Amino acid sequence: MTILRPALADSLRTLKLSGMLETLDARLAQAQGGDLGYLEFLQILCDDEITRREQVAMSRRLRRARFDTETTIEGFDFGANSKLPAAQIRDLAALRWLQAGESIILYGAVGVGKTHVAQAMGHLAIRAGAEVRFHKTSRILADLASGHADRTFDKRLAAHVKADLLILDDFAMREFTPGQADDLYELISQRIAEGRSNAITANRAPQDWYPLFPNPVVAESLLDRLINNSHQVFMNGPSYRPNKRPKASPQTNDRPQPHCRRAPRADHTMTEPAPRNFPSRAEREALNTGLFTDNTETGFFDDHGRSAPWPDDIENWTLDACQHSPDP
């Protein structure tokens, strides 16, 4: 049973002190037990309220950031890729670059964790009280283009400039149109002029961005500001994504069987069903997805010995159309 009087509870709600309201019973019990003095009691209640407000504010900042996924530096497996500059990334996690109004550029191969690290830096910035926004570069450019159409460009630009940290994911994926290049120039140059930080992820190295701009003058002016104000992090090595892929159901062998090497002939007469120890349909779909996203082997091979997608009708294949490959 609560020891809190209804009138006091109503007063705390009116004053929007729900942090105190949630912990007051426990704090009163501590005080009555002689563990807290009057000033200590009041101080702890104030701390409870401050903690609650900080948690609520952080939750709101996380929602406004619109991350693809909520990732953290603590959750990143640096051991999965020995080629990553772990020391440099951990140093950047101190956020001195953010306090100085500088930027970071994360570039390198597909799937090495650039977006994860960028969003993790954003998460750290939010924990430090900063306002962060995460955007795919193509989407923020589309948003700014819409502003030209409905005459809200200045308003949209101001909203994107306002964030303490703007994360632009998948930068320089393709050539920019003249309009996109001009909008990027307005966005980046204004943010740098106001001391706002940016985090860029890209597959291309910064020196390879220049040819993507139709106007070399705009390219030089924009990229000179951005690159010379940024810490560059080259991320190389194997893809990080297989480590996050859902695990297939346990099998008797480590890899799927059989390893089929050629397609069945259309005129083949079925005399015996194919072996039944190949992957299930769900597992085949997962393996096929891995082939197209990360170029990983599926356990199924074509006539030339190349890894290929599992056919949907593998259950109907005949025995001589499938054969086991040698054990590794």
Side-chain angles (χ1 to χ4, degrees), residues 235-289:
M235 300 178 65
N236 195 17
S239 175
Y240 181 72
R241 288 173 185 152
N243 298 323
K244 302 191 295 182
R245 185 182 302 142
K247 302 297 183 184
S249 301
Q251 299 290 315
T252 55
N253 297 320
D254 291 338
R255 63 180 185 176
Q257 296 288 340
H259 295 286
C260 296
R261 291 191 177 276
R262 66 176 187 270
R265 299 188 300 273
D267 59 348
H268 186 79
T269 302
M270 181 177 294
T271 58
E272 185 178 357
R276 294 294 173 177
N277 55 345
F278 46 74
S280 67
R281 181 175 295 275
E283 291 165 349
R284 297 199 300 270
E285 290 177 355
L287 289 166
N288 290 348
T289 298

Side-chain angles (χ1 to χ4, degrees), residues 149 223 227:
L223 297 180
I227 294 173

Side-chain angles (χ1 to χ4, degrees), residues 178-295:
Q180 289 174 332
D182 290 343
D183 290 347
L184 265 179
Y185 174 81
E186 293 289 337
L187 174 64
I188 299 298
S189 62
Q190 190 167 333
R191 285 188 56 81
I192 292 176
E194 295 186 13
R196 311 284 187 181
S197 296
N198 307 286
I200 309 291
T201 74
N203 294 332
R204 305 173 193 258
Q207 62 267 25
D208 296 329
W209 296 352
Y210 290 86
L212 302 178
F213 289 81
N215 187 330
V217 176
V218 173
E220 186 66 34
S221 182
L222 166 61
L223 297 180
D224 180 71
R225 285 177 169 85
L226 177 60
I227 294 173
N228 291 325
N229 187 50
S230 300
H231 300 265
Q232 297 184 28
V233 182
F234 175 51
M235 300 178 65
N236 195 17
S239 175
Y240 181 72
R241 288 173 185 152
N243 298 323
K244 302 191 295 182
R245 185 182 302 142
K247 302 297 183 184
S249 301
Q251 299 290 315
T252 55
N253 297 320
D254 291 338
R255 63 180 185 176
Q257 296 288 340
H259 295 286
C260 296
R261 291 191 177 276
R262 66 176 187 270
R265 299 188 300 273
D267 59 348
H268 186 79
T269 302
M270 181 177 294
T271 58
E272 185 178 357
R276 294 294 173 177
N277 55 345
F278 46 74
S280 67
R281 181 175 295 275
E283 291 165 349
R284 297 199 300 270
E285 290 177 355
L287 289 166
N288 290 348
T289 298
L291 173 66
F292 292 117
T293 59
D294 299 312
N295 199 31

Side-chain angles (χ1 to χ4, degrees), residues 106-145:
L106 307 163
Y107 70 98
V110 173
V112 292
K114 300 184 297 295
T115 301
H116 183 126
V117 172
Q119 291 184 116
M121 293 293 177
H123 196 280
L124 286 171
I126 286 175
R127 283 189 253 174
E131 285 289 341
V132 178
R133 297 294 182 272
F134 174 87
H135 294 284
K136 296 292 184 183
T137 302
S138 58
R139 293 177 185 172
I140 198 171
L141 290 175
D143 181 69
L144 291 173

Side-chain angles (χ1 to χ4, degrees), residues 20-267:
M20 290 185 179
L21 182 61
E22 292 170 358
T23 62
L24 187 54
D25 281 352
R27 301 311 185 194
L28 282 172
Q30 284 182 279
Q32 290 174 346
D35 297 333
L36 298 175
Y38 295 119
L39 289 179
E40 290 176 313
F41 173 71
L42 181 59
Q43 181 64 60
I44 289 178
L45 282 178
C46 291
D47 290 342
D48 291 341
E49 179 61 32
I50 291 171
T51 298
R52 183 197 68 85
R53 293 191 180 193
E54 288 177 346
Q55 291 173 343
V56 170
M58 180 174 168
S59 296
R60 289 173 178 168
R61 290 196 299 273
L62 283 171
R63 287 196 300 272
R64 289 194 292 265
R66 298 183 179 179
F67 293 129
D68 271 355
T69 54
E70 192 173 316
T71 60
T72 63
I73 286 292
E74 297 85 351
F76 188 75
D77 184 8
F78 287 97
N81 183 356
S82 61
K83 294 184 178 181
L84 289 178
Q88 183 184 13
I89 293 172
R90 290 193 175 101
D91 182 65
L92 290 172
L95 300 183
R96 288 184 290 270
W97 57 275
L98 181 65
Q99 298 162 6
E102 298 167 347
S103 299
I104 58 174
I105 296 173
L106 307 163
Y107 70 98
V110 173
V112 292
K114 300 184 297 295
T115 301
H116 183 126
V117 172
Q119 291 184 116
M121 293 293 177
H123 196 280
L124 286 171
I126 286 175
R127 283 189 253 174
E131 285 289 341
V132 178
R133 297 294 182 272
F134 174 87
H135 294 284
K136 296 292 184 183
T137 302
S138 58
R139 293 177 185 172
I140 198 171
L141 290 175
D143 181 69
L144 291 173
S146 298
H148 291 296
D150 60 13
R151 299 182 181 180
T152 60
F153 176 80
D154 291 340
K155 181 179 179 180
R156 294 176 189 242
L157 179 64
H160 294 310
V161 169
K162 186 178 180 181
D164 299 306
L165 173 61
L166 176 64
I167 302 174
L168 294 178
D169 193 36
D170 291 337
F171 189 83
M173 289 281 286
R174 58 184 66 87
E175 293 183 357
F176 297 109
T177 66
Q180 289 174 332
D182 290 343
D183 290 347
L184 265 179
Y185 174 81
E186 293 289 337
L187 174 64
I188 299 298
S189 62
Q190 190 167 333
R191 285 188 56 81
I192 292 176
E194 295 186 13
R196 311 284 187 181
S197 296
N198 307 286
I200 309 291
T201 74
N203 294 332
R204 305 173 193 258
Q207 62 267 25
D208 296 329
W209 296 352
Y210 290 86
L212 302 178
F213 289 81
N215 187 330
V217 176
V218 173
E220 186 66 34
S221 182
L222 166 61
L223 297 180
D224 180 71
R225 285 177 169 85
L226 177 60
I227 294 173
N228 291 325
N229 187 50
S230 300
H231 300 265
Q232 297 184 28
V233 182
F234 175 51
M235 300 178 65
N236 195 17
S239 175
Y240 181 72
R241 288 173 185 152
N243 298 323
K244 302 191 295 182
R245 185 182 302 142
K247 302 297 183 184
S249 301
Q251 299 290 315
T252 55
N253 297 320
D254 291 338
R255 63 180 185 176
Q257 296 288 340
H259 295 286
C260 296
R261 291 191 177 276
R262 66 176 187 270
R265 299 188 300 273
D267 59 348

